[in-house]
Amino acid sequence: MAGDAGALAATLAEAFGDDPVWCWMVPPKGRHGRLERIFGALLRYAIPRGHVYTTADRQAVTMWAPPREWRLPTSAVARAALPLLRATGSRLPRLLGRMGEIDRLHERQPADHWYLEFIGTTDAARGTGLGSLLLDDALTRFDEAGLPVYLESSNERNLSFYRRHGFTVTGEPPMRSGPPQWTLWRDPRPAR
């Protein structure tokens, strides 16, 4: 899977290329390449942890953090610092500020939950069910373990997708600046 980091970063960059929050945090010139650098840095940390899932054609990807392991360690942030700076330039304070706000929101959640860090598909795969396939597979495993799931959505148009998968919007917390984000929670479903 480590050899797939480039392809997966490209998929996530395409998926978030028109996302309101990412457009606010990442300059428009060369945005796709900038997003690839950011997601590449995040994937280099996430893949070895074993909770990145993709389709065979790399057209859809999910990144998860297990219970109590969602916060990036200082060492991972330090390794990602240069790619983040190169990707955001003068907008780095926006990115870091939003990451801090998201962390503070996340700290308010019950500790034992899976965290959906990112889910995305390429434009060609959007609406084909690949994202749902990956999400449903993970939710089934988490339901069997009796664990809830938490996420933040940075795009209002995705809220109906999450609702179809059993998530409830728990808030639209006020952000200090930039576009809104929503917090969502899904309790585990009982076994059938």
Side-chain angles (χ1 to χ4, degrees):
M1 171 91 61
D4 296 328
L8 298 179
T11 294
L12 288 171
E14 191 170 322
F16 286 89
D18 64 350
D19 180 272
V21 172
W22 286 96
C23 287
W24 173 73
M25 293 187 302
V26 177
K29 185 176 180 182
R31 180 173 288 135
H32 183 83
R34 292 170 184 268
L35 287 170
E36 279 190 56
R37 283 192 286 282
I38 292 170
F39 287 116
L42 295 171
L43 285 160
R44 278 190 291 285
Y45 173 73
I47 288 173
R49 296 173 63 213
H51 301 293
V52 176
Y53 301 93
T54 186
T55 54
D57 59 6
R58 308 303 182 251
Q59 297 294 300
V61 62
T62 56
M63 285 176 56
W64 294 90
R68 300 178 183 265
E69 296 180 31
W70 59 268
R71 186 180 299 280
L72 284 175
T74 304
S75 60
V77 174
R79 281 192 300 277
L82 191 55
L84 291 177
L85 177 60
R86 287 183 177 151
T88 58
S90 64
R91 293 188 182 186
L92 182 62
R94 289 182 184 184
L95 175 73
L96 295 176
R98 182 55 64 100
M99 287 173 62
E101 285 185 274
I102 292 301
D103 281 354
R104 286 187 291 282
L105 289 172
H106 201 155
E107 289 169 349
R108 296 181 193 155
Q109 307 307 314
D112 289 322
H113 65 270
W114 278 88
Y115 176 45
L116 179 56
E117 296 175 298
F118 297 101
I119 181 173
T121 61
T122 61
D123 291 339
R126 194 171 286 165
T128 65
L130 291 180
S132 287
L133 179 75
L134 289 177
L135 184 58
D136 286 340
D137 181 61
L139 293 176
T140 298
R141 288 192 313 275
F142 305 150
D143 284 348
E144 289 171 0
L147 290 168
V149 177
Y150 170 74
L151 66 90
E152 303 97 9
S153 178
S154 54
N155 195 328
E156 187 173 16
R157 76 171 185 234
N158 296 332
L159 298 179
S160 62
F161 169 81
Y162 293 120
R163 285 183 180 116
R164 284 194 307 272
H165 291 277
F167 287 87
T168 300
V169 175
T170 56
E172 183 183 339
M175 297 294 170
R176 291 182 187 183
S177 61
Q181 280 189 259
W182 293 264
T183 55
L184 293 97
W185 186 265
R186 182 185 182 275
D187 285 317
R189 301 295 160 94
R192 293 180 186 183

